[in-house]
Structures are given as structure tokens and as C-alpha cells.
Amino acid sequence: MNQEKWVTKITKIEKGKISVRGYDIKEMMEKLSFGGAVFLLLKGELPTEAESKMMEAILVSSIDHGVTPPSSFASRLVISGGNPINSAVSAGVLTIGDFHGGAIEQCAKILQEWAKKEENIENLGKSLVKDFISKKKRILGFGHRLHETDPRTVKLFEIACKLNFSGRHMDLAKAVESELERQTKKRLPINVDGAIGAVISDMGFDWRLGKGFFIISRVPGLIAHAYEEWTTQKPMRRLADLSYEYGGAEERRIHSR
Ligand SMILES: CC(C)(COP(=O)(O)OP(=O)(O)OC[C@H]1O[C@@H](n2cnc3c(N)ncnc32)[C@H](O)[C@@H]1OP(=O)(O)O)[C@@H](O)C(=O)NCCC(=O)NCCS
């Protein structure tokens, strides 16, 4: 039977030789930063110096955000139950969704779809916000439970401007931020997910890689949390350690039916 071969264009492995996108791993180890190597993997070509610096900034920006986000919390709970570190880190990664970290993907999708339209940015921002508000949908990449202005967004945009990655997607994100405040009367800042979504869009990345960016950035944080929980805390962290109260039915009896 003539079976088609499974073709991959990422990495060629031969005895004693590994080439990623055609470049020898030994040369990459000497000449590329981690961010630069990630760029090569995802885009298929070597980054320019500016692209490499931008990648580094993106990957550092989301490296950790304390114990409270779902991902670090989940990693700590799973390791405290007596599981290996790989299970703990996987549990953290599984929490990444549209509202945590994964907002990069959907924000980049929204920005890429809307920025294509032939309209000036200010009007696009207005229509985009109106559209989402009328459908009672949240615009992913905006809002933060703690930061009124996300310091990571400010720095990422500053670096992107310096390196010439401030294009139509970043402009649209800024227009959406001010329009959201005008239409909802709430301060919903561009959060780090939104900022990464805008910058990777201006760098020409497909929105489908959005969650990948967050995972690559946050896994070191999850490992640090799991390791700290494992080596410094008592096993089996319980809900009793946290603030909660019972809000269900009062005590009752089962009557014979
Ligand atoms: C991040 C987030 C969960 C923080 O939420 P929060 O500060 O706890 O705020 P709440 O979920 O209580 O929302 C408060 C109000 O703002 C609105 N709101 C919050 N984020 C919004 C958004 N991105 N777009 C539109 N409205 C939003 C909510 O609908 C709510 O309105 P209401 O008071 O009329 O019900 C929230 O802003 C959000 O869902 N953002 C989108 C997802 C995202 O970007 N996640 C990445 C976080 S780094």
C-alpha cells in the first residue's frame, strides 16, 4: 500500500546531528538567545536583532504573577497532593484559558480581524467596542483585577515603539482601551495579554500562536511555584488555608419515602 509520508519542516534529526529549520543546534546554542530560537521555531526564519529583542521582552513579561492566578495556584495544589512536578506544571498549563493567559489568542484574533478593515483606527475602536458591548461580550486582553495600568503593557509598548513594532494592531488596542472607558465608564486597561496580542500581531504572528506565547513564558514560573511548594510547605494544602465559608443548605434529615 502506498502510504503518504508524514512531512515535518521543523527539525531534522540524524545520527549525531540536529538541525532546527535548517540551522545546526550547535550554532544556535552559541549564537541565538532563547527568544531568538523560539522565533526561529515558530516563524521558520531567523529573527532580526529587533525581533530577537522583542521576543525576549515578551517572554519575560509573563514569566510570573505570584501565587494567586489559576495556573500557579493549580500547580501548587497538585504538587501539594503528592504528585510529581510534571503533573503540577501540566495542571497549571491546563488552567490557561480565555480569561487567564489565553486572552492573548483571542485578543490577537480580534485585533487581526478588525485591523484589516479599511477604516481609520479611531472609528474602528468605536465600532469594535460597540459591537462587543451590544453582544454583552468581554473584549479579551482588557481589564485587570489589580492593576489600573498594567506596568508590563507600558514597558512592552515602549520597547515595541523603540524597535519599530508599533503598528496598526497596537494603535487599535489603544483605541479600544479609551473607547471601553468611554462607553462602559470603567477603567479596563490593556493588560499584558492584550499587549502581547497586539505586539505579536504587529510582528506578523498568527493569532493561533497566542496561547503558546503565554505557555512558553509562564512555565518557568509554574516550575518555581511547584518547587517552592514541594520543598518549603507541608503536604496537602487545603481549602482551610484560604478564606471561604459554607453557603449551602442548613442541616436537614432524610425522611423515609
Ligand atoms: C481580567 C478580568 C477577569 C478582571 O476582572 P475583574 O477586575 O475581577 O472584574 P469583573 O470580572 O468583576 O468585571 C467588572 C465589570 O467590568 C466588565 N469587564 C471586565 N472586563 C471586561 C472586558 N475585558 N470587556 C468588557 N467588559 C469588561 C465586566 O463585565 C463587569 O461589568 P458589570 O460590573 O457591569 O458586571 C476581566 O477584566 C476580564 O475578564 N478580562 C478579559 C479577559 C482577560 O483579558 N484576561 C487576562 C487577564 S491578565
Side-chain angles (χ1 to χ4, degrees):
M1 202 169 74
N2 189 13
Q3 237 188 342
E4 259 189 44
K5 278 237 172 103
W6 180 22
V7 178
T8 171
K9 295 178 179 170
I10 304 171
T11 300
K12 185 176 178 188
I13 45 168
E14 298 156 288
K15 225 178 203 168
K17 192 165 165 65
I18 304 158
S19 325
V20 178
R21 303 286 191 190
Y23 295 98
D24 193 308
I25 195 84
K26 296 196 298 300
E27 202 182 352
M28 288 172 62
M29 287 160 68
E30 206 164 22
K31 297 185 179 160
L32 289 185
S33 64
F34 182 69
V38 171
F39 184 99
L40 174 65
L41 259 182
L42 300 183
K43 272 257 180 133
E45 294 300 332
L46 284 177
T48 61
E49 207 183 318
E51 283 166 334
S52 187
K53 282 189 180 154
M54 198 68 245
M55 287 296 290
E56 292 294 324
I58 291 171
L59 296 182
V60 173
S61 69
S62 289
I63 199 155
D64 193 45
H65 198 264
V67 293
T68 57
S71 53
S72 33
F73 194 32
S75 288
R76 295 187 82 119
L77 286 183
V78 168
I79 207 149
S80 82
N83 295 292
I85 200 161
N86 50 318
S87 306
V89 173
S90 314
V93 170
L94 283 176
T95 69
I96 294 169
D98 286 351
F99 300 106
H100 171 47
I104 299 173
E105 176 192 288
Q106 289 307 310
C107 180
K109 182 172 189 267
I110 297 166
L111 294 175
Q112 289 178 20
E113 282 171 2
W114 283 74
K116 267 193 227 139
K117 302 183 191 215
E118 280 182 25
E119 180 70 81
N120 75 53
I121 288 294
E122 209 176 302
N123 289 343
L124 269 186
K126 278 191 187 135
S127 329
L128 194 162
V129 174
K130 202 166 153 208
D131 185 59
F132 274 75
I133 302 276
S134 68
K135 292 175 183 153
K136 299 199 179 334
K137 276 166 63 181
R138 292 184 182 213
I139 308 180
L140 303 178
F142 296 81
H144 202 280
R145 67 194 156 81
L146 176 68
H147 307 302
E148 279 188 16
T149 297
D150 192 323
R152 300 162 295 183
T153 297
V154 177
K155 196 67 192 172
L156 264 185
F157 281 1
E158 183 193 311
I159 296 171
C161 288
K162 241 191 260 166
L163 298 172
N164 276 330
F165 293 115
S166 50
R168 197 163 160 82
H169 301 96
M170 187 196 290
D171 290 345
L172 181 57
K174 288 180 181 168
V176 168
E177 179 183 52
S178 42
E179 207 39 48
L180 256 176
E181 187 159 1
R182 204 180 65 79
Q183 291 187 34
T184 64
K185 309 277 178 278
K186 288 179 196 118
R187 172 85 188 131
L188 297 166
I190 309 173
N191 55 47
V192 70
D193 289 12
I196 296 176
V199 174
I200 63 168
S201 299
D202 281 332
M203 292 176 81
F205 281 104
D206 185 332
W207 60 266
R208 293 172 189 83
L209 287 167
K211 280 197 179 91
F213 273 90
F214 189 79
I215 295 167
I216 298 166
S217 174
R218 186 54 64 93
V219 160
L222 299 182
I223 293 172
H225 281 287
Y227 178 71
E228 184 180 78
E229 186 77 24
W230 183 12
T231 55
T232 68
Q233 301 293 309
K234 283 203 297 192
M236 213 184 108
R237 188 175 283 283
R238 275 142 295 191
L239 214 47
D241 303 338
L242 309 165
S243 104
Y244 86 102
E245 63 182 11
Y246 176 72
E250 293 302 323
E251 195 172 332
R252 46 190 168 165
R253 303 289 310 273
I254 301 173
H255 299 292
S256 47
R257 303 178 200 204

